[in-house]
Amino acid sequence: MNTFFTIVAGFLLVNIAAGLVRVYLGPTPADRMLSAQLFGTTGVAILLLLSQALSTPALVDAALVLGLLAAVAVVAFVMRVPQSEREADEE
Amino acid sequence: MSFAGLVLDGLLALSLPVLAWRALSARDLYRAVILFITFGVILALAWARLGAPDIALAEAAIGAGITGALLLNTVGGLSRKNDKDDERPDEPTDRVGRPWRTRLAVTVPVTILAGGLAWAVLSFPAPVVDMPSLVGEAVAEGEVSHPVTAVLLDYRSYDTFLEIGVLLLAALCVWSLGLSAVRSTAPEAVSGSPVLAGFVRLLAPAMVVSGVYLLWAGTSQPGGAFQAGAVLGALGVVMVLTGLLVPSLGRGGVVRAGLALGFAVFLLVGVVSMLATGGFLAYPEGFEYGLILAIEFFLTFSIALTLTALFTTVPPREKGGGA
């Protein structure tokens, strides 16, 4: 079962790598921000899987904190970056 | 180590340097910040794989959460509108032509330093004292059962004490830069946007409960003042960003006292314990648990307030770039 959890965690890590393509291509800052949010969610899932695979219950707390705080960045993005720049295609 | 674990570790080890390099060489500041947040997430996963849940927790809170928001706050404050026509200031440095003397003057010392560091790491003598087992024995006698908390606030409390001083200094430095107060791009955003208002309403109680939980958990499992302070500070940050807290969080005496409270309580405990036992921060027998918990409580408060205070100022937007 632990091997299964580790395989799924690795699969999710490959998903993050795939999401990096969107960070690279953009084209708008909003696209990049959304992929960062996706990484936060995926990171929570990987931490939960690892807490089972490594039998480290404390990693559930790390997942909880990551889940709560990953959302702060998107609030900062929405509130601090002007609308025009958020949607601007900067290339 | 199973094959699957090996593949996972390989992926983590491969992605970290690539992400760090991409974040440093990104042409666009937003992209650099996004890559930095991603780097924080992957680094937290790497610490989790290395069996260091304490550091994974701290990295998830500070690296992936707070710092990303702080950088976005700063990037949002730096207007790029005015330099669209001029030379882009965020060109990657590796595209800027530099004379060979400059390159040499940077390359040679850096290579020597890196070589020295590599040599120092490779030539480490075998540890004379087995620290982990010593800590393990001491923790078994002490009242704080989590080794990391015991080291941070009991055996090496002097280090932690100075770290809190550094945090206080950081807040003072940011204040003395004379930056303008934070102004969100949409002042009535919370009343005008039901999604944001509902989001803050859902997030706030969860953050308060998690913060207090992490503080309490710190004595027996990964957690503690820094992580709890980061979560509660993130709540303050959200409230500052959405305009709920700015009118009440100025630079008045109460806020100043709150910033200094953690450091002051730590110092007070240190001096009193010095009078009682003769050693600075040598807690008297039987009072360790209560004193450590009291220090952690006030530290959490001050750390949260410091992080919030860092968000109340932003770099000035260039003329015409205002919201």
Side-chain angles (χ1 to χ4, degrees):
Chain A
M1 202 60 188
N2 283 352
T3 315
F4 174 71
F5 285 141
T6 315
I7 290 171
V8 176
F11 175 71
L12 288 174
L13 197 62
V14 175
N15 271 331
I16 291 187
L20 281 172
V21 175
R22 189 40 71 189
V23 174
Y24 187 71
L25 291 178
T28 70
D31 292 320
R32 304 205 160 105
M33 193 65 232
L34 276 177
S35 37
Q37 288 300 294
L38 178 73
F39 299 159
T41 315
T42 316
V44 169
I46 299 178
L47 280 174
L48 288 174
L49 286 166
L50 287 182
S51 83
Q52 287 298 311
L54 305 170
S55 342
T56 318
L59 287 178
V60 176
D61 290 351
L64 171 78
V65 168
L66 185 61
L68 281 175
L69 267 65
V72 176
V74 83
V75 175
F77 178 74
V78 169
M79 299 304 295
R80 289 289 305 141
V81 180
Q83 186 90 26
S84 53
E85 285 183 29
R86 244 184 277 155
E87 284 159 12
D89 187 338
E90 91 268 340
E91 242 66 52
Chain B
M1 184 60 62
S2 65
F3 178 69
L6 215 59
V7 171
L8 185 61
D9 291 345
L11 277 174
L12 286 172
L14 193 72
S15 52
L16 278 175
V18 172
L19 274 172
W21 172 63
R22 293 304 308 169
L24 287 174
S25 66
R27 194 164 61 241
D28 179 69
L29 283 181
Y30 286 112
R31 198 187 296 179
V33 173
I34 301 298
L35 287 169
F36 179 83
I37 295 173
T38 315
F39 180 77
V41 173
I42 305 279
L43 193 57
L45 298 177
W47 284 121
R49 275 302 290 180
L50 288 171
D54 288 272
I55 313 178
L57 189 58
E59 182 60 35
I62 293 163
I66 292 272
T67 317
L70 189 61
L71 290 173
L72 276 175
N73 189 40
T74 312
V75 171
L78 297 166
S79 175
R80 294 186 321 154
K81 276 184 189 146
N82 299 311
D83 26 74
K84 279 257 161 92
D85 352 70
D86 307 330
E87 189 192 354
R88 290 275 292 269
D90 44 15
E91 279 292 315
T93 44
D94 57 356
R95 301 268 175 86
V96 181
R98 299 210 189 283
W100 63 271
R101 279 191 203 85
T102 320
R103 286 182 186 274
L104 204 67
V106 173
T107 312
V108 170
V110 165
T111 312
I112 292 174
L113 181 69
L117 280 175
W119 177 78
V121 168
L122 289 177
S123 63
F124 266 154
V128 187
V129 186
D130 183 15
M131 282 308 282
S133 70
L134 272 183
V135 170
E137 279 170 30
V139 164
E141 296 164 15
E143 301 187 26
V144 173
S145 57
H146 185 52
V148 174
T149 305
V151 168
L152 282 180
L153 281 158
D154 203 342
Y155 315 127
R156 299 301 303 241
S157 49
Y158 193 65
D159 295 357
T160 313
F161 173 63
L162 293 181
E163 280 163 22
I164 296 302
V166 169
L167 208 55
L168 182 61
L169 272 179
L172 291 182
C173 289
V174 169
W175 276 11
S176 19
L177 288 174
L179 304 173
S180 55
V182 75
R183 202 176 29 171
S184 77
T185 50
E188 321 83 31
V190 173
S191 48
S193 155
V195 174
L196 196 56
F199 177 69
V200 173
R201 218 166 279 146
L202 280 176
L203 199 63
M207 279 187 161
V208 171
V209 171
S210 312
V212 175
Y213 161 71
L214 285 174
L215 172 64
W216 169 80
T219 53
S220 57
Q221 66 194 67
F226 278 92
Q227 288 86 341
V231 172
L232 293 176
L235 175 62
V237 167
V238 168
M239 289 171 80
V240 165
L241 288 172
T242 50
L244 292 169
L245 204 63
V246 167
S248 49
L249 189 80
R251 294 180 183 188
V254 180
V255 176
R256 284 161 195 261
L259 288 178
L261 186 67
F263 189 73
V265 167
F266 216 148
L267 187 63
L268 184 73
V269 169
V271 171
V272 169
S273 62
M274 187 160 70
L275 294 176
T277 63
F280 185 67
L281 284 170
Y283 310 124
E285 202 66 29
F287 288 93
E288 290 103 335
Y289 187 79
L291 282 177
I292 288 177
L293 210 59
I295 292 176
E296 290 235 301
F297 178 79
F298 288 109
L299 286 188
T300 305
F301 178 77
S302 281
I303 291 169
L305 195 63
T306 307
L307 290 173
T308 309
L310 288 177
F311 274 79
T312 55
T313 54
V314 287
R317 295 183 70 83
E318 305 262 321
K319 55 202 174 302

